Amino acid sequence: MRFTFEQALRRKCEQNPDLSLLLSQWEYDRRLVSDALQTILRYFPHYSRHDASHSNTILVQVARMLGPARIEALSATDLWLLLEAAYQHDIGMVVTDEQVRNWWNTPGFKDFVSQLRDSPDAELRQASTLFDGRAPPDGLARDWPVEVSRILTLTIAEYARRQHASNAAQIIMDPVRTIGLQSPRTHLIPARLFRLLGKICAHHGRSFEDTMLLPFEEAGLGTDDAHPRFVACMLRLGDLLDLDNGRFCPVMSRSFGTLPASSLAHYEKHASINHFQVSPTRIEVETECASYEAYEVTDQWLEWLRGELKNQMAQWSEVAPSRDFGALPSLGKVQAHIKGYLTLEPGRRPRFEVDREQILTLVRGANIYANHFSCIRELLQNAVDATILRVWADRWSSKSSEELSKLTPASLREVLKEFPIRVGFERVPSDEASQTGRWRVFIEDKGTGISLNDVRYIQRIGASSKNPDRQRMIREMPEWMRPSGIFGIGLQSAFLFTDKVMLRSRHHATQEAIEVILQNGQGNGMDGLSIRRLEGAEARIPVGTTVEFHLALARIPKSRGFIASTHFSEARKAFDPVTGLDFPHEIEFTKAIIRNFSEACACPITIQGIPPQAPPTENLFDKADFDPETNLELTLEVTTRDDTHARLYYRGAPLNTISHRSSHQFLNIHCNIHDGRASDFLLINREQLTDEGEQAIQKSLEKTIKKVLPRHISELRRKQPESPEIKAASLSAKLLNLDAHIARKEWLGYQLIVRDGKEMSLDELLSKERVDLIHPDGYSSGSPTLVFRRGESQVEIQMGGDYWWLNYLLPESFEHHGYHAYGQRNIGIYIFSRYRKDSGVSKEGMRSLMQNLHSRAAFFGASYRLSIPCPDEYQTLQYIPGERDELFGRLAPWYRPRMVCPFVSRDRQVTVPSPHKLVQWTAQNAAGERKSEAEIARALWGFIRETDELMAEEWKERKAYDLQRVRFELSRWLD
């Protein structure tokens, strides 16, 4: 059908040689553009064909609609425009290497990548994670470079697709400069016509209303007339009608790999066509889809077709080139069906949605925001974030990378002293007879303020993170300076405790002053949002935002705990229960928590009241060390006490999580986390780390401690060279495996308290020939005891919670160690010795372990399987230690090497489950040189048989396995 239009153009040019330039231009472009369209496959291999076959199909469908007579009635310029538009409307999908490299560093592309985080396509969401500069490709497979290449292709394709229509117009005007297309341009064809062609192509991706703004008629070449609006409408319909089967190239799909979900749905859309008819009188399409995804995109496509045809029919007199041109085809049955599934409404898969009130109800019921301070903390965090953004925008956004690299969190706090946040609590007159009083609460900041555009993103839960202006600003900031981010509750958390929130704000950039009232009518029809522009005296407010709402609080506390709390000592002294109307217990409690919040907050916080409470004069982290690699701020205090801790803060906000690990021994730590988004680390209540967040922070914290501690040790050596603190600091460095020149030897002088109240240095302890650690194994109560023997006077050290780190030093300091046991259960003897004869697991030790199989108190963890010390004679059964230890419950957990116990105790019955599987597992995880399954099976059978004999009396009533059956299961290796 291309030839139908081309032949008509040729005949017109033969009749009027002045028009032959159009035919010559078309013949060049047909070949050149066809070649150029082939390169679309570079970034769109997962799309349906957008090559010359697509262009020809468009012309076929337009020809079917118009018929030969109306094609002949078109002017030569109209025919040329239609041919060129069919071929060039997707030329904007040609993407050059230079374009991609230019896009990569533009704000628009970075905004786009950031917004992909909310894409319904899982692979595009992964692209956001990979390409936003935050996370390495940890979750990808071993062939991750291939996968990254694939995801990059998807990302570039999606970005190019969104602007390909407008890009087409630019390419048509300057094909050589934009994509290197050597399409000839001659002044004999006015540049105006190429500009017109570009507009026609651009409008295939715009609304019908915009398309109707194209000229109805315009001078063509020579005496010809052109009808750009008509050509654009035909292009739009022809594009929508390229629906038939076979639109995807199977070879290209195979070369790309698994199609993303969105492409697969379109692939199924084309494959689902059962009936397709296009003629001058009627258009019909029927499909039968095999999945909800295909059904949804197919119905959406058909809806576009129905809408486009109806719109053009309604305004056909303003589209058709002449009054006698005839009508468009009528709309027959254009419908999508789905096979094997039910729908609740036409064209849509069933949806699962939760409304805002239900979300708030769930949050309230889950007690995530347990008190009024919870929402005030959210609003304070919003105020802090807005203030940081303003300081960045006004003072530092134009600085060079070199200047920014010199800034630290301390630099930010210094500037923020000029931008305090004010929190106020004021009584509101209310009925004195009521048991509740009303309070006006306000939070006032000097941050960025709120623009009208921002309001769009605060009216819906979770929408603030999609504000592109805010996200663009955040992305440009150094990681440590970025605000904490949101979980989507934020401002709306206030509705857990009130039904109306008012904001008054002046925006720092636009200077517009507005008032926004958000109201939750609890289903009475009053829900909604009102906005008004402030004018006159009302508009004379400073840049920033004031959030205000009312709280109804009980006048007198019902809990004695409130009354006795030290938070209310001053208020309690001034309260007369006889004459007083109320005791503001919750307000005073909230003030106390705000004061705690302000200790490390980047912004100073003033609490308005009687008397007013000024912010702390010093910030908790004013003298902290900052590590730009981990984005952690750290204060260290070396101590010899056993109650050391690491208190954590997230961008100045205190967390309930307290870290206490071996690497933190002898150190009190305050750690301020300036890394990532809140959702990367925190639970939704913002008060605790997630499990993944804790693991990440522990890793970063240990790395930062190793950098910061040497300076503190040097300072202690200079000021207190003989103090207990320098010995504790040196020991901490030893436990952290810092270089010997940092730890030196002071740690050997650390004093241990022995049982009779005397002290013993670590140097003296570690110089012994043998040390017996008598340890209540497992979780039983009681502290370990150290006993020194071998002809020496016996010395015992009752190990408290502060001495457990010795378990790391003792194996390092002695050549051999073994495991024995007392006759009592749960009492193990770890022997650290310089003599080989003292090493290994004794019969008494193994008997004790096997006796403890049934006791959950006897091992760490709650696994079905246990790991135990491995006797020397069964070293073939040793497995590689480390993370595997966490998979098993552990008897005698401090002993190495270890093996998996073949015996399992449940309900006081001892069994030997799946010994053949244990052989295979041990072969895969064996320590040392690789061992055959036969070697392992022989060793395992020997251990089972010997232990069975050892425990014959103890297990007489509990034995629930048959030794011969066990041997049969291992027989493939034993016979």
Side-chain angles (χ1 to χ4, degrees), residues 357-419:
E357 184 56 37
Q358 286 299 318
I359 290 176
L360 293 176
T361 300
L362 289 170
V363 169
R364 187 184 294 113
N367 211 30
I368 293 170
Y369 295 95
N371 54 52
H372 298 105
F373 175 71
S374 301
C375 82
I376 292 173
R377 182 199 60 226
E378 287 285 337
L379 299 176
L380 278 173
Q381 194 64 62
N382 286 354
V384 172
D385 291 353
T387 307
I388 292 172
L389 286 170
R390 181 183 177 186
V391 168
W392 166 258
D394 291 353
R395 302 202 179 191
W396 289 332
S397 60
S398 60
K399 299 285 186 183
S400 67
S401 299
E402 183 179 356
E403 291 173 301
L404 291 175
S405 67
K406 298 175 182 177
L407 298 175
T408 66
S411 312
L412 177 63
R413 285 193 293 269
E414 186 62 31
V415 173
L416 289 175
K417 289 178 181 178
E418 304 171 29
F419 299 84

Side-chain angles (χ1 to χ4, degrees), residues 505-522:
S505 183
R506 178 182 292 280
H507 194 259
H508 74 117
T510 66
Q511 294 298 309
E512 59 187 341
I514 60 174
E515 177 187 84
V516 181
I517 296 177
L518 298 98
Q519 188 153 324
N520 177 19
Q522 298 291 335

Side-chain angles (χ1 to χ4, degrees), residues 745-807:
K745 295 292 184 179
E746 290 104 333
W747 65 273
L748 289 168
Y750 185 82
Q751 298 293 308
L752 299 169
I753 306 299
V754 297
R755 178 161 287 191
D756 60 3
K758 296 180 181 180
E759 293 184 341
M760 172 185 285
S761 70
L762 271 174
D763 190 22
E764 184 181 353
L765 167 66
L766 299 178
S767 66
K768 302 294 181 182
E769 293 180 329
R770 168 173 160 170
V771 175
D772 291 3
L773 171 57
I774 304 173
H775 197 298
D777 280 329
Y779 290 119
S780 59
S781 61
S783 297
T785 301
L786 288 176
V787 180
F788 309 105
R789 296 179 179 168
R790 180 74 50 163
E792 306 168 22
S793 58
Q794 180 169 311
V795 179
E796 296 185 358
I797 298 180
Q798 189 72 31
M799 291 182 66
D802 57 334
Y803 287 167
W804 62 269
W805 47 264
L806 273 171
N807 289 291

Side-chain angles (χ1 to χ4, degrees), residues 271 420 568 602 671 753:
F568 313 132
C671 174
I753 306 299

Side-chain angles (χ1 to χ4, degrees), residues 657-723:
T657 304
I658 296 179
S659 170
H660 193 169
R661 295 286 180 96
S662 59
S663 56
H664 308 156
Q665 198 69 36
F666 312 110
L667 302 174
N668 280 332
I669 299 168
H670 288 85
C671 174
N672 199 3
I673 304 161
H674 293 275
D675 196 50
R677 295 178 290 264
S679 56
D680 295 334
F681 299 110
L682 305 184
L683 296 175
I684 193 172
N685 65 4
R686 288 185 185 264
E687 294 179 352
Q688 290 178 294
L689 292 170
T690 61
D691 290 343
E692 296 80 5
E694 184 169 4
Q695 290 176 14
I697 294 303
Q698 288 291 355
K699 187 176 179 180
S700 296
L701 179 57
E702 185 158 328
K703 183 184 294 185
T704 303
I705 290 173
K706 288 181 177 180
K707 293 181 181 179
V708 171
L709 184 58
R711 187 178 66 79
H712 283 263
I713 291 176
S714 297
E715 189 72 9
L716 277 169
R717 285 194 178 114
R718 187 175 64 83
K719 293 182 177 180
Q720 306 176 56
E722 301 299 325
S723 67

